[in-house]
Amino acid sequence: MSHFVHRKSKQLAYYVRGFLQHKIPYSELDLFFWDTMEEWAQIKKGKNLPYENTEQVFWHLLHQVHYWPKKALTEDLYLRGELETCLCCLESDGDYPMPLDCIGIRP
């Protein structure tokens, strides 16, 4: 399972950063979300293991980009700051400090 989260974290960071930089359309980000959920549904083992920090950030960021409308993701400065902190954490393989208010849980 940590292999899944590690692989998908890199992809999630790529899609979210690309969207925030207006290089990837929102529809592609949304499609990535649903593809990830479909892949997650195929995972059969390890879903009861303890969370790693990176995994919590991954699920939190994935939830945020699905929950908030496109306009909020692009215009809300507080939300963008939170997204940026999550991106830095994922892109650094957990070397960047985990956001304090990050409460990502598995679906």
Side-chain angles (χ1 to χ4, degrees):
M1 175 178 39
S2 73
H3 176 69
F4 172 84
V5 170
H6 179 72
R7 182 174 50 85
K8 297 306 277 187
S9 290
K10 298 298 179 193
Q11 294 173 1
L12 177 60
Y14 171 82
Y15 276 94
V16 174
R17 190 159 301 286
F19 169 73
L20 294 176
Q21 294 174 347
H22 307 288
K23 295 178 181 176
I24 294 176
Y26 181 76
S27 59
E28 288 294 318
L29 180 60
D30 191 51
L31 183 59
F32 173 78
F33 171 84
W34 290 112
D35 286 347
T36 301
M37 290 294 97
E38 185 175 326
E39 286 182 49
W40 175 250
Q42 304 303 312
I43 303 289
K44 301 296 181 201
K45 294 182 179 179
K47 290 185 175 181
N48 294 325
L49 293 174
Y51 285 90
E52 295 177 1
N53 288 348
T54 302
E55 184 183 7
Q56 287 184 292
V57 174
F58 170 78
W59 290 119
H60 180 77
L61 181 59
L62 195 63
H63 175 266
Q64 293 294 74
V65 299
H66 180 69
Y67 177 80
W68 293 104
K70 177 183 174 181
K71 185 174 180 167
L73 292 170
T74 56
E75 296 178 8
D76 184 313
L77 295 180
Y78 179 80
L79 177 58
R80 284 191 64 130
E82 179 184 332
L83 298 177
E84 184 63 35
T85 301
C86 290
L87 287 171
C88 289
C89 186
L90 293 181
E91 291 169 339
S92 72
D93 291 323
D95 290 337
Y96 194 85
M98 182 176 162
L100 296 176
D101 57 351
C102 190
I103 52 169
I105 56 171
R106 298 171 188 138

